[in-house]
Amino acid sequence: SLYRAKLKYANFKRKKTNSNPRHGPFHQRAPSKIVWRTIRGMVPHKTARGAAALDRLKCFEGIPHPFDRKKRMVIPAALKVLRLRPERKFCRLGDLSSLFGWKHQELISRLEGQRKVKSEAFHKKRVSTLRAQKASVKKVKVSAEDQKVLEAAGFA
């Protein structure tokens, strides 16, 4: 639940260097930084291999420009519907971050709304062009001699 997560993060925020708090540990507020630090705890980041793995890791709030045009994948093992029982409470990282001082939740939600509208328009256009392409392929009539050539080449 959000309440329990808030208590845990407040407990984590309380930890600091007594002599000089600027020496760390540092408590990031942005969701991408929280995820990055969580993953860093799972990786041997003090070895060259772990450091290289962390360099390859990219975390973002929302979906920024170069990646909004890429095909996205669903990881079934990470779906909330499959992982959590219906009566269990959960919390979103963006809500927790905004409680602890992250100021960009409204901005990200507005930008994501715009991106989803553009993505929906692109998807509809793509589906209509694919349908038209399939229909035109079905309409095409191939002559008998062309059909023999296609069969010889392994098509048809």
Side-chain angles (χ1 to χ4, degrees), residues 44-107:
H45 65 277
K46 293 184 179 182
T47 65
R49 186 174 65 101
L54 272 182
D55 286 341
R56 290 191 300 272
L57 176 67
K58 293 177 183 163
C59 299
F60 303 103
E61 286 97 24
I63 304 175
H65 167 63
F67 303 107
D68 62 350
R69 299 278 181 238
K70 305 274 189 232
K71 185 169 174 28
R72 285 180 279 293
M73 297 175 68
V74 174
I75 303 169
L79 287 174
K80 184 182 79 163
V81 172
L82 299 177
R83 299 300 299 174
L84 288 181
R85 290 173 50 188
E87 72 271 8
R88 292 294 186 188
K89 293 182 178 178
F90 66 94
C91 110
R92 298 187 199 285
L93 192 53
D95 298 339
L96 181 69
S97 293
S98 62
L99 282 175
F100 281 99
W102 182 56
K103 299 178 181 75
H104 305 294
Q105 189 170 23
E106 293 85 23
L107 171 70

Side-chain angles (χ1 to χ4, degrees), residues 82-140:
L82 299 177
R83 299 300 299 174
L84 288 181
R85 290 173 50 188
E87 72 271 8
R88 292 294 186 188
K89 293 182 178 178
F90 66 94
C91 110
R92 298 187 199 285
L93 192 53
D95 298 339
L96 181 69
S97 293
S98 62
L99 282 175
F100 281 99
W102 182 56
K103 299 178 181 75
H104 305 294
Q105 189 170 23
E106 293 85 23
L107 171 70
I108 294 297
S109 62
R110 183 170 51 84
L111 290 174
E112 280 297 293
Q114 292 172 356
R115 182 195 62 77
K116 285 179 183 174
V117 167
K118 286 180 187 173
S119 179
E120 182 69 28
F122 171 79
H123 180 64
K124 284 182 179 175
K125 185 178 173 185
R126 175 106 171 112
V127 166
S128 64
T129 55
L130 286 175
R131 277 197 192 125
Q133 198 175 25
K134 282 185 179 180
S136 64
V137 165
K138 284 183 180 178
K139 281 184 195 175
V140 172

Side-chain angles (χ1 to χ4, degrees), residues 5 29 33-34 37 73 89-90 121 140 145:
R29 281 10 179 231
K33 298 285 188 177
I34 293 174
R37 178 152 185 189
M73 297 175 68
K89 293 182 178 178
F90 66 94
V140 172
E145 55 205 42

